[in-house]
Amino acid sequence: MKKLYLFNKPLKLSTVERNPGKENRLSIFKFLMVLTPFLLLPDQNCKAQIIAYNFSQSTSVYTPVANETVLAVATDNTATLNLNSVVAAVNIPFAFSFNGTSYTSLNVSSNGFITFGSVAPSPFYTNPISGNTSYQGAISAWGRDISSFYNISGKTGKISYGVMGSAPNREFIIQWTNFRPNATSVTTNVYSFSFQIRLKETSNVIKMAYDQGSYLAGSTTVNGTAEIGLRGTSSAEFNNRINPTTSGFTTSGAGTANNSAQAFNTVGTLPGMPPADLVYTWTPPSCYTPTGIAVNNLTSVSANLSWNTSASSPGGYDIYYSSSPTAPTSSTAPTVSNVPGTSYQINNLNPLTTYYAWVRSNCGSGNVSLWSLDTMVFTTKCSNPPAAPAVNGTTIYPNHQAILTANPSSSANYSWYDSPTGGNLMFTGNPFTTPALTATTNYYVSTFTGNSGIQTGRPIYTNGGAFSGSGTTNFGMVFDALSYLVLESVTVYPLSTTNSSGTLTIDVIDSNGVIVNTKTVNVVGAPVSAPVEQVINLDFPIFPGTNYKLRPRGFTGIDGLLYESNSNAGYFGYPYSVQNLIDIKYATLTAAPANTANTGLYYYFYDWKVGNKCESARSPVTVTVDSTLSTSEENRKDTVKIYPNPFADAVTIDRPELIGSLSILDVSGKLVMQNVKAEQNLSLSHLASGTYIVQILMKDGTRQSVKLIKK
C-alpha cells in the first residue's frame, strides 16, 4: 500500500502537481529550513543509539532493483512535474529495526531520504538530519532540495522500490533513478546520477549505494552540500558524514554537528561526486544504550537513579558517577557494575555537591553499549535540612477551595507544589488555599530555612523592541554567583504565531561550557505582538563562581522566545544584582569561555527569583473532592458553621459539641490561639482586624478549616 503527498494532500501515482498559488508557502518553508541547522534540539538520553551505529565504506557493483514498483515518474520538465517535492508512504515486507524500534512502513522523500514513524516530512523538507520535524528517524542518502527530469537524451527520472533475495536475508531497496544533484527545471544543463537506500532483513544493516553520474546535456558546474547519514527521534541524535570542498567526496569523516554535510562538485576533481559503485554501510549495535535516565528522591547523601529498559534486554546495567563532568570512555571502569534492574540508589554522597552520572547496558561477555551521551546532572541537598512537615488532607464539595495547613504552623517558610519532585511551585507560606477543585487532587509541601523568592533580573518585559529569537546554545545571560544560591524560577515569553505548545530545555553552564543544571518543561506559545508570560520553576542549585550562563539549549513546537533590544531608548541597564548573592552581568551570543559581552540585548529570561533556602523533603496531602455531595448538603450533621463572617467581636459556632478543639492562625501561618474550647458564643474581640484561619479538630478525628474576617 502506498500514498503520495504534495502539500500534504494525497496525489495520484505518476502525477505530481504543484499549486502555483502556494509558491509563497514553499519560499517560507525553505527559509525556515535555512534556520533549523542552527538550533540543536534536546533529546534526553537518546543519542547513544544512532551514534553507536558503525560506519564503513566500500565498493560494490551498483545493481538496479529488479521487479521494481514505481512510486512516481517525471512527466515533464516543469517544476511541478519533475519530482521536485514528493513524499510517499510505503510498507516494508519485513520488520526492520531502526534505532531500537521495529518498523513495517516508512516515508520516501524525493529529496533523497526516508523517514520512520507516523509523522511524515513535508514534501518540501530538505534537511532530514538537522531539521526538527518529529518523525522517529531518518536515513538520508542525498538530503537536499533535488529534482529529476523528463526525456533528456532518452532518460527520465523516477522513484521506485523493490525486494531482492529471500527470507530471512531479503533487502528492501528504495531507488532514485536519473536525479539531479540540485533542484532545477533547466534542460540545457543536466547532470544525472542514481542512488539507493538498502535495508537488510534480520541484520538491520543500512546501505547507501551510488551509481556513476554524467552530463546528459551541457557541462556547467553544479556544486553544494548534501546531508548524508542517520538521524534519530530528534536532530540531537545523528550519525552523519562531512567533507570540505578541498577534499574528495570519498574521504569523508564523521559529522560533528547535526548539519554537517558532504560537499560535492559535478565537474571538479575536488570534492567531486560519488564514484561508481560507492557504498556506505551503517551497522547497528548489538547492545543498545538505555534511555529515559532520571534522578529522584534526592537527599543530602543519596540519590535514586532510574532508566528505561534497553531495547537489547541486557542482563544488567553499569553505572558511572563522579563529581567531575568528564564523561567516561569505553575503558572507564564502572562505579557500579551489572545492576539487575532499572534503578539504583547511590549512597554515601556528599551534601551540596553536584554529581554527573552515566548508564550503559551490559549484554555479557564483554559486550557493552556506549555510555549514555546525555549526562545526568544532579546536586545533593544541604546537610541539615529541616524535617518534612506534617499535614492533613481534607474533603471538600465540588468547585470549592480547600485550606491546607502544615504543622508546626508557627513557621511561614513552606513551599507547596503540585508534584512530589520538580513540578510547579503553587504557593509559599502557610496555610495554602487551593484553587476551586472539581476532582481529587494531590499537593506536596516542604519547609525550608534561609530565604526564598528574592527578585532580580529584568522584572518584566517592558516592550523595548520585541523580537522572536530561535537562538543557539551560545545565546544567554551571563551571571556570577557571589555565594551559594538556588535559582528558583524565571519568566519567559514563548512565541508562536499559531499559539502552539511545545517544550523548552533550559541549562546553566559554567565558565568552561559544562552543563551544571538542566531542565525541560512544557510551554505554550503566543504571537510576538501579544506575548504571554510563563513562569518556569527551575530550583537550580548554584555554587559560588563567575561567568555562569543561563541559556535555552533548544525547544520544540514553538517558534522561539521573546527577547529585546536596548539600542533605541535605553530600556535596561546592567548589572542586575542581589547583594552578596548574584550579579547578572550581560547578554552574550558567543560560546564559553569567551562569552563576549553584549549589553545592547536582553535574552529570554525575565524576573529571576533566587534564594538560599535549605529545603526538607516534600510531604503529600490529598484534597478529596466528594462528587456525591452538593452545596445543599452543607447542613449535614457533621458540618460545623461559624458566623457571622465577617464579624465584629464574637462569632457563633453551631454544634460545638462535635468539636474537640480549635486553633486560630493569621494569614502568615502564625499561631494566634491554640486549643481553644469550642463554645456556641466565642468572643474574639481581642483579635486585630484582618483575615484568620480557624482549624477545627472534630471529636471523630476529622478536620475542617474555616476562613474568618475580623472587621
Side-chain angles (χ1 to χ4, degrees):
M1 179 180 180
K2 50 189 177 287
K3 296 179 182 178
L4 288 182
Y5 294 87
L6 185 63
F7 302 109
N8 297 320
K9 295 182 179 180
L11 207 70
K12 294 181 180 179
L13 286 177
S14 304
T15 305
V16 184
E17 298 180 358
R18 176 181 294 163
N19 185 340
K22 297 187 178 180
E23 289 298 326
N24 287 336
R25 290 174 54 185
L26 176 59
S27 299
I28 293 171
F29 183 88
K30 289 183 177 179
F31 172 73
L32 292 174
M33 289 300 98
V34 170
L35 296 180
T36 54
F38 300 98
L39 176 62
L40 182 63
L41 298 177
D43 187 53
Q44 296 293 328
N45 300 303
C46 288
K47 287 187 285 188
Q49 313 305 321
I50 284 297
I51 201 170
Y53 276 68
N54 180 63
F55 171 81
S56 63
Q57 180 177 309
S58 61
T59 58
S60 181
V61 176
Y62 184 87
T63 305
V65 64
N67 300 317
E68 65 182 3
T69 299
V70 176
L71 288 174
V73 62
T75 56
D76 198 3
N77 285 308
T78 64
T80 57
L81 300 173
N82 67 352
L83 305 184
N84 189 19
S85 298
V86 176
V87 171
V90 179
N91 290 332
I92 310 171
F94 49 80
F96 182 78
S97 179
F98 178 75
N99 201 19
T101 300
S102 181
Y103 297 97
T104 56
S105 64
L106 52 81
N107 298 296
V108 180
S109 170
S110 60
N111 287 324
F113 64 92
I114 64 174
T115 67
F116 297 97
S118 58
V119 176
S122 161
F124 309 127
Y125 210 63
T126 59
N127 300 90
I129 299 176
S130 63
N132 61 359
T133 293
S134 56
Y135 41 71
Q136 292 301 298
I139 301 172
S140 178
W142 198 263
R144 63 174 280 120
D145 192 6
I146 59 178
S147 64
S148 186
F149 51 84
Y150 172 72
N151 195 24
I152 301 294
S153 297
K155 294 185 176 182
T156 292
K158 61 183 176 181
I159 305 171
S160 60
Y161 69 88
V163 181
M164 297 182 70
S166 57
N169 298 306
R170 291 171 288 181
E171 275 191 294
F172 185 66
I173 304 167
I174 305 96
Q175 183 169 280
W176 290 257
T177 302
N178 294 327
F179 264 73
R180 301 171 175 222
N182 63 332
T184 180
S185 58
V186 174
T187 59
T188 55
N189 193 71
V190 179
Y191 182 92
S192 172
F193 77 127
S194 302
F195 56 92
Q196 301 169 335
I197 293 176
R198 306 172 74 104
L199 309 180
K200 295 183 72 69
E201 186 179 16
T202 306
S203 68
N204 301 303
V205 167
I206 300 162
K207 291 190 174 184
M208 300 175 191
Y210 299 88
D211 196 12
Q212 179 72 56
S214 63
Y215 276 94
L216 303 181
S219 60
T220 303
T221 299
V222 179
N223 55 40
T225 60
E227 291 190 357
I228 298 175
L230 315 181
R231 195 205 90 165
T233 55
S234 85
S235 60
E237 185 184 354
F238 56 88
N239 187 332
N240 53 5
R241 308 302 296 173
I242 185 172
N243 67 276
T245 57
T246 55
S247 64
F249 189 93
T250 58
T251 62
S252 70
T256 57
N258 58 12
N259 63 326
S260 293
Q262 287 205 241
F264 66 87
N265 187 302
T266 58
V267 174
T269 303
L270 296 177
M273 288 290 289
D277 307 328
L278 175 67
V279 177
Y280 283 173
T281 301
W282 274 269
T283 303
S286 59
C287 194
Y288 278 97
T289 305
T291 62
I293 300 173
V295 171
N296 48 57
N297 297 330
L298 274 172
T299 72
S300 60
V301 294
S302 66
N304 186 270
L305 194 66
S306 63
W307 54 89
N308 296 331
T309 301
S310 167
S312 47
S313 300
Y317 299 88
D318 297 336
I319 300 171
Y320 178 78
Y321 64 91
S322 172
S323 58
S324 167
T326 302
T329 66
S330 58
S331 61
T332 302
T335 314
V336 184
S337 299
N338 257 333
V339 175
T342 56
S343 66
Y344 182 81
Q345 181 164 305
I346 304 173
N347 295 312
N348 301 316
L349 301 176
N350 295 319
L352 275 183
T353 302
T354 298
Y355 288 92
Y356 304 84
W358 298 263
V359 180
R360 72 182 181 189
S361 298
N362 190 329
C363 297
S365 301
N367 183 17
V368 294
S369 73
L370 296 179
W371 291 104
S372 51
L373 294 191
D374 286 304
T375 308
M376 177 52 62
V377 183
F378 62 93
T379 301
T380 51
K381 294 194 172 184
C382 44
S383 57
N384 294 301
V391 60
N392 293 303
T394 188
T395 300
I396 60 172
Y397 303 105
N399 297 303
H400 279 59
Q401 295 175 297
I403 300 173
L404 301 175
T405 304
N407 294 304
S409 56
S410 57
S411 172
N413 290 347
Y414 289 95
S415 295
W416 299 82
Y417 300 91
D418 60 1
S419 174
T421 59
N424 296 307
L425 178 65
M426 307 297 292
F427 180 70
T428 298
N430 194 39
F432 166 47
T433 301
T434 72
L437 301 175
T438 59
T440 296
T441 304
N442 292 321
Y443 293 98
Y444 304 84
V445 59
S446 67
T447 187
F448 61 88
T449 57
N451 297 310
S452 178
I454 304 170
Q455 180 176 295
T456 184
R458 296 275 289 133
I460 57 172
Y461 165 64
T462 53
N463 197 25
F467 298 93
S468 175
S470 58
T472 75
T473 56
N474 295 328
F475 289 50
M477 303 298 299
V478 175
F479 67 95
D480 293 344
L482 308 179
S483 62
Y484 172 78
L485 63 93
V486 177
L487 178 52
E488 298 173 357
S489 67
V490 294
T491 296
V492 297
Y493 295 83
L495 300 175
S496 169
T497 56
T498 58
N499 297 98
S500 61
S501 59
T503 63
L504 170 66
T505 296
I506 299 173
D507 295 334
V508 170
I509 60 175
D510 66 16
S511 59
N512 295 315
V514 176
I515 297 175
V516 296
N517 291 286
T518 185
K519 188 173 187 178
T520 299
V521 297
N522 296 321
V523 292
V524 179
V528 69
S529 59
V532 176
E533 70 175 36
Q534 183 166 337
V535 177
I536 308 297
N537 293 298
L538 297 174
D539 282 328
F540 286 167
I542 310 291
F543 296 93
T546 60
N547 296 326
Y548 287 103
K549 182 191 292 184
L550 183 66
R551 70 177 187 186
R553 174 153 46 103
F555 52 81
T556 64
I558 59 174
D559 301 331
L561 298 172
L562 181 144
Y563 73 99
E564 59 185 316
S565 169
N566 193 37
S567 58
N568 295 326
Y571 284 98
F572 51 84
Y574 295 103
Y576 295 97
S577 302
V578 174
Q579 187 174 11
N580 300 323
L581 205 58
I582 190 172
D583 280 338
I584 303 174
K585 300 193 296 185
Y586 50 80
T588 184
L589 295 79
T590 59
N595 284 333
T596 304
N598 187 325
T599 57
L601 297 171
Y602 192 93
Y603 274 125
Y604 312 129
F605 303 107
Y606 297 82
D607 193 16
W608 299 31
K609 294 292 197 316
V610 298
N612 55 6
K613 65 182 180 182
C614 180
E615 193 170 13
S616 74
R618 299 181 187 181
S619 299
V621 57
T622 300
V623 179
T624 302
V625 177
D626 191 339
S627 59
T628 66
L629 302 179
S630 64
T631 305
S632 63
E633 295 176 279
E634 289 184 1
N635 290 320
R636 72 191 199 282
K637 65 179 182 179
D638 59 345
T639 300
V640 171
K641 283 190 173 183
I642 301 178
Y643 58 91
N645 192 11
F647 69 96
D649 295 311
V651 295
T652 298
I653 303 176
D654 70 340
R655 294 191 211 104
E657 69 278 4
L658 300 178
I659 298 175
S661 65
L662 299 173
S663 295
I664 299 177
L665 298 80
D666 64 19
V667 290
S668 70
K670 181 180 179 181
L671 189 63
V672 177
M673 300 176 67
Q674 189 174 17
N675 295 324
V676 179
K677 182 181 179 181
E679 298 177 346
Q680 187 168 15
N681 295 304
L682 181 62
S683 174
L684 299 174
S685 58
H686 64 287
L687 296 180
S689 297
T691 301
Y692 297 88
I693 304 298
V694 181
Q695 294 183 329
I696 307 171
L697 176 61
M698 307 294 288
K699 289 181 178 179
D700 63 4
T702 61
R703 295 176 180 267
Q704 297 180 32
S705 296
V706 177
K707 183 184 291 186
L708 283 179
I709 299 175
K710 172 73 179 294
K711 292 189 288 188

